[in-house]
Amino acid sequence: ISSPPPIGGQVAGRRNSCIEMLRLLCMMGIIGHHIITNVLSLDFANPYYTFIDTIFHVSVIVFVLITGIYGIKPRISKLLSLELEIIYYSILSAGIAYFALRSIGLKELMLSFFPVSRRVYWFMSAYLELYLASPFINFIIDRSSKRLFIYMTIVLGLSYCVLFNGDTYNAGTNLTGFAFLYCLGRLMSKYHLMVKLSIRSLLLFVLLYLLVVFFFSFSGKDCRIFAHFINEFYRYNGIGIIAFAVAIVTIFHHFVFYNDVINRISRSVLAIYLIHENHLISNFVYVKPTQYLLSTTQLHSFWILVIEILCITVLCVLIDQLRIFFFKKINFQYLETKAKRVFNY
């Protein structure tokens, strides 16, 4: 472990395994969030799970911030690989639902070939919008002064956090939100803001944040202060949850180590999301199994949550090894070269 770390957490093309481990932990948090909101604590019914879920809910923001810190270097080959992975798991999930579960018809099976345009995965639809817009965003960032870059980030932040009005679960699931978080991550990386914050102050902030969230979680849904808690500490465009995400990313960024196993597993982070959260099979992946374990075992619901998260993570990583094997046989660089020739790019 070394300190201070290189900006972006990357040396000689090697990703900082601490950041990769954070990505994996965040994906496990997303699984936990889905189990809690769909089974264990509907509509914030359980204050203990409200507290846990609020912590898990920061995961999406962390993912986009990490994207901003590393920066998007748009390539046709990368875009093709990403799009094909989304389609691959959309068709695989629909195939399971159609042939094995008999829960959908032929029409739904055919529509599974178009997951992005149909927003089967809201995160990927928003992320691909950001990816396509990244050349324009990067152009502005690279040619702006520090003052102008900060000004642009503030304007996007005001639009995202103050002016945007969405419901509890969809506030922030748009290009404006992702562009702001991306610019915030680029700002943190470009001007070395992360190495200027001490671990002690960051840990103190995280501790205070958790204490505040714990208090609000038990304030009760009928309490007026609970609505403010949801707005600032739970919604994706809340100022509190964004500050928490910045602190978490910065803490992990302070530590650098390299582990090939962690980096290899982290390659399947997207697959974990695409498999477990496909609406055609999610009911059978975590809803029904959780309900079954709750009704047939003596295990506490918290341990059931932990077991479900671990099992889904391991299973999805193993499933993704087959996809990785097939994708190695596809020459995306060749496809990119052909595409450039066709469009004279």
Side-chain angles (χ1 to χ4, degrees), residues 321-339:
Q321 298 311 302
L322 185 63
R323 193 270 312 172
I324 292 174
F325 174 79
F326 284 130
F327 274 36
K328 283 182 179 178
K329 300 181 180 298
I330 303 176
N331 191 338
F332 289 104
Q333 294 293 338
Y334 173 77
L335 295 176
E336 178 178 1
T337 302
K338 295 293 288 185

Side-chain angles (χ1 to χ4, degrees), residues 10-21:
Q10 192 168 340
V11 173
R14 299 180 66 192
R15 289 240 180 185
N16 178 7
S17 298
C18 198
I19 296 295
E20 296 306 294
M21 183 170 62

Side-chain angles (χ1 to χ4, degrees), residues 248-274:
I248 293 297
V249 172
T250 306
I251 289 173
F252 275 79
H253 186 272
H254 269 74
F255 302 96
V256 177
F257 71 94
Y258 302 100
N259 184 284
D260 291 336
V261 175
I262 292 177
N263 289 3
R264 191 175 299 116
I265 293 174
S266 70
R267 293 171 59 190
S268 297
V269 162
L270 176 57
I272 298 172
Y273 170 70
L274 297 177

Side-chain angles (χ1 to χ4, degrees), residues 32-44 53 57 169 234 286:
H33 159 66
H34 291 148
I35 294 173
I36 290 173
T37 56
N38 287 282
V39 185
L40 299 179
S41 181
L42 303 177
D43 195 25
F44 307 105
D53 186 35
H57 212 229
Y169 296 101
Y234 191 86
Y286 60 84

Side-chain angles (χ1 to χ4, degrees), residues 46-70:
N46 187 308
Y48 291 101
Y49 283 121
T50 297
F51 171 68
I52 296 173
D53 186 35
T54 302
I55 298 172
F56 286 164
H57 212 229
V58 76
S59 300
V60 167
I61 302 174
V62 169
F63 271 116
V64 187
L65 280 177
I66 292 175
T67 300
I69 289 170
Y70 282 112

